[in-house]
Amino acid sequence: MRRKLAAGNWKMNGTLTSVTEVMTLCATHKDPGVDLLICPPATMIRTLGTATTDHAMHIGGQDCHAQASGAHTGDIAARMLADAGATHVILGHSERRADHGETSADVHAKALAAHDANLTAVICIGETLAQREAGETLDVVTAQLHDSTPDSATSDTTVIAYEPVWAIGTGKVPTLEQIGEVHAALRIALTSRFGQDGDAFRILYGGSVKGSNAAEIFAVPDVDGALVGGASLKAEDFSPIITALENA
Ligand code: PEP
C-alpha cells in the first residue's frame, strides 16, 4: 500500500563529476519497484533534474527558507528549489537542527513553505544519544513529529524520516527492536492525528544504512525505506540498498 522510498542525502558533497553516479543508478534501476530520490547540494539540482528527465529519479533540496522571498542572504526559497527542478526537500535534518539552531517550529514553517511550492517535505526527527540513554526517545520523537508536521500535511505531501542523531555518519545502528519500537510509535501518532491517511505516510529510517544492513532494516514493520547519507554518494554503494528495498 505504501510505495517505498530510497532517498540519498548528499549533504555538502557533489560537483559536476558526480552526475555520472546518478546516471549509473538510473541505468541500473531503469524501472525501479520503489521511489528514488537524490538530494544533492542546491548547485546541482538543475543539472541533475535535467539529466534525469527520462528516468524514474526524483531530485530534492536539503533545506528551504520559510519565507517565499526577501532579504535572507544565502538562503533558498522552496519555490526556487521547485523552479530548479526539485520535487522534494529534506527539512529539519539533525545537522541543520544542530548547526543552525533549527527548532521544530522552524521546520513546521518550512514544511508549509515547501507544500506551498508543491514540494514533498521529508521531515527528519530523531533523538540524541543522551536522550536515548535517559529513556526519552519515544517522547522526543513524537514531540518532534507533532511540532514539525503541519496539520495540513498529507501522505502525498510529507514523508517522515526517523534518524537517531547518534547513528548518523557513525556506523552505529540501533537494534532492529529499537527501530521497530520507534516506527510503531510514529505510526500510532500519525494515525491518531491524521486518521486513515496516517497509515499512508511513509516513515523512512536513516542512520548508517549500508548494503550490508539494509535488508534486515527494511524487514522491520513500518520501515518504508531509508534516508541515506554517506552510502548514497557512490552508485556502487547506493545500488545494493535500492535493490534490498525493492526485494523487501
Ligand atoms: C543522513 O545524513 O541523513 C544520514 C542518514 O547519514 P548516514 O547514512 O551517513 O548515516
Side-chain angles (χ1 to χ4, degrees):
M1 165 188 158
R2 293 184 295 268
R3 187 164 163 90
K4 295 179 189 295
L5 170 62
N9 171 16
W10 279 8
K11 311 192 188 196
M12 201 169 69
N13 300 288
T15 56
L16 266 188
T17 56
S18 319
V19 173
T20 54
E21 300 297 334
V22 178
M23 299 326 288
T24 302
L25 282 178
C26 289
T28 311
H29 302 275
K30 280 203 185 71
D31 187 16
V34 300
D35 285 345
L36 301 180
L37 169 66
I38 292 285
C39 297
T43 49
M44 294 286 295
I45 290 174
R46 185 173 297 283
T47 303
L48 285 179
T50 303
T52 59
T53 301
D54 296 330
H55 298 276
M57 172 67 72
H58 296 286
I59 305 298
Q62 298 177 10
D63 177 50
C64 70
H65 198 279
Q67 302 296 318
S69 62
H72 303 289
T73 302
D75 281 316
I76 297 180
R79 281 188 195 283
M80 296 171 180
L81 296 175
D83 181 59
T87 53
H88 295 64
V89 60
I90 297 171
L91 296 175
H93 190 282
S94 63
E95 287 153 14
R96 294 216 50 98
R97 290 180 189 257
D99 295 355
H100 300 272
E102 284 187 10
T103 64
S104 290
D106 295 328
V107 178
H108 181 282
K110 290 177 179 211
L112 288 174
H115 293 159
D116 263 355
N118 290 322
L119 295 178
T120 299
V122 180
I123 295 178
C124 301
I125 56 177
E127 82 285 3
T128 62
L129 187 57
Q131 289 165 334
R132 176 160 284 279
E133 287 174 350
E136 297 168 359
T137 298
L138 296 186
D139 287 343
V140 167
V141 296
T142 52
Q144 286 180 334
L145 175 69
H146 181 270
D147 297 345
S148 304
T149 309
D151 285 337
S152 53
T154 70
S155 59
D156 284 335
T157 64
T158 307
V159 173
I160 305 303
Y162 166 55
E163 300 204 302
V165 178
W166 51 275
I168 294 177
T170 59
K172 293 184 188 147
V173 181
T175 64
L176 301 179
E177 289 70 24
Q178 288 171 328
I179 294 173
E181 183 186 34
V182 173
H183 281 242
L186 296 175
R187 179 67 62 206
I188 288 168
L190 287 167
T191 51
S192 57
R193 182 167 171 197
F194 296 103
Q196 209 178 337
D197 192 42
D199 209 30
F201 277 69
R202 288 170 298 177
I203 309 175
L204 311 183
Y205 167 76
S208 296
V209 176
K210 303 183 192 69
S212 55
N213 61 16
E216 59 183 22
I217 292 172
F218 296 151
V220 175
D222 281 305
V223 173
D224 303 310
L227 181 54
V228 181
S232 71
L233 294 173
K234 296 272 172 220
E236 65 183 11
D237 295 329
F238 200 27
S239 185
I241 296 172
I242 295 169
T243 301
L245 190 58
E246 288 177 321
N247 295 333

